[in-house]
Amino acid sequence: MNRLRPGPALISLSLALTLLHTAARPAKLSQSTPAAPTSTSQLARLTYVEGDVQFNRGVAKHPDLQRPWEPAHGDLAISQNFALKTGEKGRAEISFQADGAIYLAENSVLLFKRLASAGGAVGTEVELVSGTISTNIHPFGMDIFVVRTPVGGYTLKYPATSYERIDSLLDGMAFTPESDDSLYKERDNPQSMSLKEGQT
């Protein structure tokens, strides 16, 4: 009785199917899946500098205004815990990865308390210690943007926006919307103050 021998085409097909099955097999998962990585790189950048603008790098866990100050320059990558200050006739623009920009007026101090990205969402928290900023902030997706002063602040989530001037004073803070679409209606809080463009 003659046995059939597999021809070259059948051998090639069998080999291809074996390789395809091996490649398609899922990799063995380890017992613990690592959390989504957190990144703080390239989330904020100093995009414009005019006059006296300085920064310091803070310390590992928080901003520190006692650290040495360095002259700031355009295109400076800003990291978490940095501080930025302007002198008389100093101005700066800070751009955030996806959420807009803040304009720092003269004689102002701004702290970068949180700049982090995890799972595709960006969390940003800045504090205006003194002076004035103008905001053009429009969070995207799951991003959260927090603006604080020593006496108060607010949190922005999509689709809220912030187009306003904020003054941090010794005993308070002042908001002046620069657009009727600006945030300070606090859309999630119906009892909050509602301001129109130009009102403070």
Side-chain angles (χ1 to χ4, degrees):
M1 181 166 149
N2 288 336
R3 291 189 176 179
L4 290 173
R5 292 188 179 181
L10 187 57
I11 292 172
S12 296
L13 178 61
S14 175
L15 182 59
L17 288 172
T18 302
L19 290 173
L20 183 61
H21 176 71
T22 304
R25 230 184 284 166
K28 198 171 187 180
L29 293 175
S30 63
Q31 299 253 336
S32 62
T33 305
T38 298
S39 167
T40 60
S41 62
Q42 307 301 311
L43 297 180
R45 186 167 289 278
L46 192 57
T47 48
Y48 176 76
V49 169
E50 178 184 314
D52 180 15
V53 181
Q54 299 177 55
F55 76 100
N56 82 26
R57 301 173 188 274
V59 293
K61 295 188 176 178
H62 57 82
D64 183 352
L65 297 178
Q66 303 306 313
R67 301 279 294 169
W69 292 87
E70 307 173 43
H73 55 81
D75 204 36
L76 171 72
I78 294 175
S79 295
Q80 185 167 292
N81 300 325
F82 272 36
L84 190 65
K85 73 175 180 179
T86 55
E88 196 171 335
K89 299 185 180 175
R91 297 177 187 277
E93 176 185 332
I94 304 99
S95 292
F96 296 89
Q97 180 174 287
D99 297 328
I102 282 179
Y103 308 94
L104 190 62
E106 61 185 28
N107 298 317
S108 301
V109 178
L110 186 68
L111 308 181
F112 297 85
K113 301 186 91 170
R114 178 172 160 78
L115 293 170
S117 173
V122 177
T124 303
E125 180 180 344
V126 298
E127 181 177 340
L128 179 64
V129 177
S130 62
T132 303
I133 58 173
S134 292
T135 63
N136 180 2
I137 302 297
H138 37 83
F140 179 77
M142 299 298 292
D143 294 357
I144 295 174
F145 203 103
V146 181
V147 179
R148 296 198 188 285
T149 73
V151 298
Y154 57 83
T155 298
L156 283 169
K157 297 177 186 176
Y158 178 83
T161 57
S162 173
Y163 301 99
E164 59 209 338
R165 190 181 75 241
I166 302 168
D167 297 290
S168 180
L169 312 168
L170 286 176
D171 57 351
M173 60 194 294
F175 290 85
T176 307
E178 298 181 342
S179 161
D180 280 340
D181 294 329
S182 191
L183 131 98
Y184 210 65
K185 299 168 177 138
E186 282 189 24
R187 292 175 181 148
D188 296 334
N189 179 3
Q191 307 206 340
S192 69
M193 185 182 301
S194 180
L195 299 175
K196 296 191 182 229
E197 182 178 358
Q199 291 182 327
T200 299

